[in-house]
Amino acid sequence: MISESPQFHRLAERSGEQLVITVDNRDVAVRQGDLIITAVLLHQKAIRRFEFGDGFRAGYCLMAACQDCWVSLGDGRRVRACDTIVEPGMEVRTGIFNANGKTENC
Amino acid sequence: MLAKIVIVGAGPAGIRAAEVLAGAGLQPVVLDEARQPGGQIYRQPPPGAERDAFTLYGSEAGKARNIHAAFGRLGKSVDYRPDTLVWNCSSNALNILHKGRQGIVPYDRLLIATGAFDRVIPFPGWTLPGVFTLGGAQIALKAQGVSIGKRVALIGAGPLLPLVASQYLEAGADVAAVLDVTPFGAKIRALRGMLAVPEYARRGLSLLLKLKKFGVPTAYDVRAIEVTGNWHVDGLKWRDGAGRWHRIACDAVAASFGLKPEMQLADLAGCATYFDEATRQWLPSLQAGGRSSVPDVYLAGDCAAIGGADVAELTGKRAAYSVLRDLGIGFAADELKGIETTLARHTRLRKALDAAYPFPTHLIDAMSDSLTLCRCEGVTVGELRASYVKTSAPDVNRLKAFTRVGMGRCQGRVCGAMAAEILAGQSGASLPDVGRLRGQHPIKPIPMVV
Ligand code: FES
């Protein structure tokens, strides 16, 4: 399932303190120093819908080059998830859920 | 008045260049898109995600520490501006974006050290969530301490493949397979040339032994790859040199096929390029000492020619010395002589590596019409092929207008080289004749200014 199982897995425990952000209105526990892409993909398998056809995207290059990872934030900003660090209380909007809070067919 | 020197990029090349220029009292400006110096190879985790150097950089920990320390020592003798995107260059000035604010940085001399990006070849399933570049897989681990999946398949055509594989294994990741799309025999034949830099040959060998020790399935001469899954990766099919198909279960794939210079800024600065037959790609034309074809513009590191981190340190220094020389500022020439000698050995090594990892054109020949070429906007290989017939202009820049290939958010950074390959294949023109998508501003998307 795109929405329920993680794509990324933490291999290294580290110091950063725990923070809470929201991803599509769900509370998500992250660590200081996580990139948004890390925070999101530790909980689900996609970061946005593909706007020119079916399917989802989860980023690709992780170095701010491919532009595959743009997400919206609660404050109206649009940012690359792979080069933006989480801040406490950040609201990330992936747009992968429909009005019923579901992703269709997957 | 002091000449204003601007360095773009703070990887090993940019940092060593800054060191030389600061040493001459020139206080260079260093514009860095990242938040901390180090570049991609010696990238530092953000505050909160720190780990010790050995865990992060493995065998390269010492070099990473040296580079970071060297830059730290420069202190106020450089004007370091992190988190600063350079998005255009015209009439000796750079347009920058820092924290959402625009700015202009004029320069007398520009030293470009913008690094490299993975070479991409599309294959079925490459746009599914869970497929990343090898460089991306490495960043996930280095900058964040995460693996891109629970069970990961790695695919490549260059020295980055065994390196990422060994870093993933050491970090405790489950690596399903390491698939090299180039033949093993090519590496044996290139061994002699690699001995030009014995330390490198030793490191390469120890990586291969490590993969063996971990017992991870490894294959060479992989002929075809296909990622499976409806909405995200659930497996990988690949065909071996004998024509047999294999299937592995995995939930993530990292694949890319060598590196290419990040040349957009050099393009906008007007630097000439040439087509390099050996690696089948366009590179900036280099004059002696890392000078570009444009007076006042210098190139160093992987954006000048793919050479890796050690070479980047050397070409960074060399370009900085060229700046000093061109400004008529004296310096002790001994170090420069040593650099040239070492670089000559690295040039032999690079030739050997290019031969050891020939660009896998068989994957290009296999691209079907239904394959997505442009991942930004979903343009297919077939659409690009069809548009050629319509326009009969075997020039990739003209084709762009008809198909939008290269006009998506990535500006052709991902698909541009493949668009040229397809056009060459379809028209019968040679790859150099088809040309390449030239860099355009903004180099990366920037917010609209009202
Ligand atoms: S994943 Fe490529 S720009 Fe973020």
Side-chain angles (χ1 to χ4, degrees):
Chain A
M1 298 280 281
I2 284 285
S3 51
E4 275 156 29
S5 52
Q7 180 65 46
F8 283 1
H9 294 269
R10 263 197 224 286
L11 293 175
E13 270 321 312
R14 54 180 177 75
S15 53
E17 79 184 76
Q18 189 146 319
L19 311 171
V20 178
I21 64 166
T22 66
V23 176
D24 299 325
N25 298 318
R26 285 186 302 176
D27 281 356
V28 161
V30 301
R31 282 194 182 276
Q32 186 200 355
D34 279 348
L35 294 162
I36 292 178
I37 196 168
T38 307
V40 173
L41 295 184
L42 280 169
H43 295 89
Q44 61 196 45
K45 284 192 177 293
I47 198 152
R48 66 180 183 100
R49 269 171 202 277
F50 179 49
E51 69 273 47
F52 291 88
D54 285 345
F56 301 89
R57 291 292 171 84
Y60 181 57
C61 73
L62 271 65
M63 56 174 92
C66 76
Q67 317 301 323
D68 199 53
C69 65
W70 285 81
V71 293
S72 303
L73 300 182
D75 63 9
R77 273 187 297 158
R78 304 250 317 137
V79 296
R80 273 186 304 247
C82 77
D83 74 345
T84 310
I85 307 240
V86 294
E87 288 155 25
M90 198 176 237
E91 296 169 27
V92 179
R93 301 191 179 147
T94 69
I96 70 176
F97 298 96
N98 60 24
N100 320 318
K102 296 261 187 300
T103 53
E104 64 279 7
N105 307 329
C106 53
Chain B
M1 228 189 70
L2 278 186
K4 179 149 182 180
I5 304 171
V6 177
I7 300 171
V8 180
I15 288 179
R16 289 304 182 197
E19 199 178 21
V20 169
L21 294 166
L26 286 170
Q27 217 207 16
V29 175
V30 180
L31 304 175
D32 187 4
E33 201 183 334
R35 261 172 246 94
Q36 291 153 285
Q40 295 301 351
I41 180 96
Y42 300 130
R43 184 166 161 151
Q44 305 185 62
E50 300 91 345
R51 283 170 297 138
D52 72 277
F54 187 77
T55 326
L56 282 169
Y57 310 109
S59 60
E60 308 307 289
K63 287 181 199 160
R65 261 193 301 252
N66 286 342
I67 277 281
H68 297 147
F71 198 67
R73 272 194 305 274
L74 296 182
K76 293 270 174 277
S77 64
V78 294
D79 177 0
Y80 178 54
R81 305 196 199 161
D83 195 7
T84 302
L85 169 72
V86 175
W87 60 267
N88 193 18
C89 170
S90 63
S91 12
N92 276 52
L94 302 169
N95 295 83
I96 59 162
L97 182 71
H98 171 67
K99 292 199 163 70
R101 307 233 330 241
Q102 304 272 358
I104 291 180
V105 178
Y107 63 82
D108 296 314
R109 309 271 162 173
L110 174 64
L111 198 157
I112 303 177
T114 44
F117 184 56
D118 295 80
R119 288 181 89 176
V120 172
I121 303 176
F123 46 81
W126 78 292
T127 57
L128 283 173
V131 179
F132 298 91
T133 59
L134 275 177
Q138 192 182 38
I139 288 168
L141 184 61
K142 246 188 325 206
Q144 299 278 275
V146 301
S147 157
I148 55 163
K150 185 131 207 93
R151 191 169 153 75
V152 183
L154 304 170
I155 304 167
L160 191 58
L161 177 66
L163 179 62
V164 173
S166 81
Q167 290 170 329
Y168 263 63
L169 289 164
E170 296 239 356
D174 181 3
V175 178
V178 179
L179 305 178
D180 186 332
V181 298
T182 68
F184 189 70
K187 283 134 199 98
I188 303 291
R189 285 191 294 279
L191 245 180
R192 255 187 77 123
M194 292 190 217
L195 289 173
V197 183
E199 182 213 338
Y200 188 95
R202 243 196 324 272
R203 230 185 310 157
L205 202 63
S206 80
L207 283 183
L208 296 186
L209 290 176
K210 194 172 290 166
L211 298 191
K212 238 195 143 83
K213 188 188 96 192
F214 276 100
V216 47
T218 303
Y220 294 88
D221 200 21
V222 168
R223 305 307 293 170
I225 44 184
E226 210 178 305
V227 171
T228 58
N230 279 329
W231 299 96
H232 55 81
V233 177
D234 69 13
L236 175 73
K237 289 190 331 198
W238 60 277
R239 200 174 75 226
D240 66 22
R244 274 187 308 265
W245 281 94
H246 304 256
R247 183 181 254 294
I248 29 187
C250 58
D251 67 347
V253 171
S256 39
F257 308 92
L259 294 171
K260 67 179 173 104
E262 272 284 282
M263 297 198 295
Q264 288 85 357
L265 183 57
D267 260 347
L268 291 170
C271 300
T273 56
Y274 74 100
F275 185 77
D276 178 48
E277 295 285 347
T279 56
R280 209 178 164 83
Q281 67 180 339
W282 294 85
L283 302 174
S285 309
L286 277 188
Q287 329 279 330
R291 294 171 180 87
S292 77
S293 64
V294 180
D296 310 342
V297 180
Y298 305 75
L299 302 165
D302 277 346
C303 81
I306 301 300
D310 298 354
V311 170
E313 289 193 41
L314 297 168
T315 54
K317 283 188 188 177
R318 182 179 67 178
Y321 282 123
S322 296
V323 172
L324 295 183
R325 179 158 288 158
D326 296 350
L327 289 171
I329 298 172
F331 56 89
D334 335 352
E335 189 185 32
L336 187 54
K337 258 191 224 124
I339 288 173
E340 294 289 3
T341 319
T342 315
L343 280 175
R345 286 197 291 122
H346 275 280
T347 304
R348 291 209 296 283
L349 166 67
R350 188 47 49 176
K351 273 214 179 89
L353 284 172
D354 290 344
Y357 293 100
F359 191 60
T361 49
H362 59 281
L363 297 181
I364 296 171
D365 300 338
M367 291 196 293
S368 71
D369 278 350
S370 61
L371 194 60
T372 297
L373 171 73
C374 154
R375 65 182 289 129
C376 292
E377 300 195 355
V379 182
T380 64
V381 169
E383 283 170 67
L384 192 69
R385 285 181 178 146
S387 73
Y388 165 67
V389 183
K390 268 185 259 155
T391 67
S392 61
D395 170 346
V396 74
N397 285 288
R398 287 177 66 184
L399 204 65
K400 178 170 156 179
F402 292 96
T403 59
R404 291 197 50 83
V405 156
M407 293 173 79
R409 281 191 293 225
C410 86
Q411 292 275 27
R413 200 177 263 108
V414 177
C415 68
M418 286 304 107
E421 290 275 6
I422 289 166
L423 181 54
Q426 192 71 2
S427 65
S430 73
L431 200 50
D433 283 345
V434 163
R436 68 189 181 89
L437 289 180
R438 284 180 289 273
Q440 286 192 326
H441 68 85
I443 290 174
K444 289 185 182 176
I446 51 169
M448 293 300 227
V449 221
V450 196

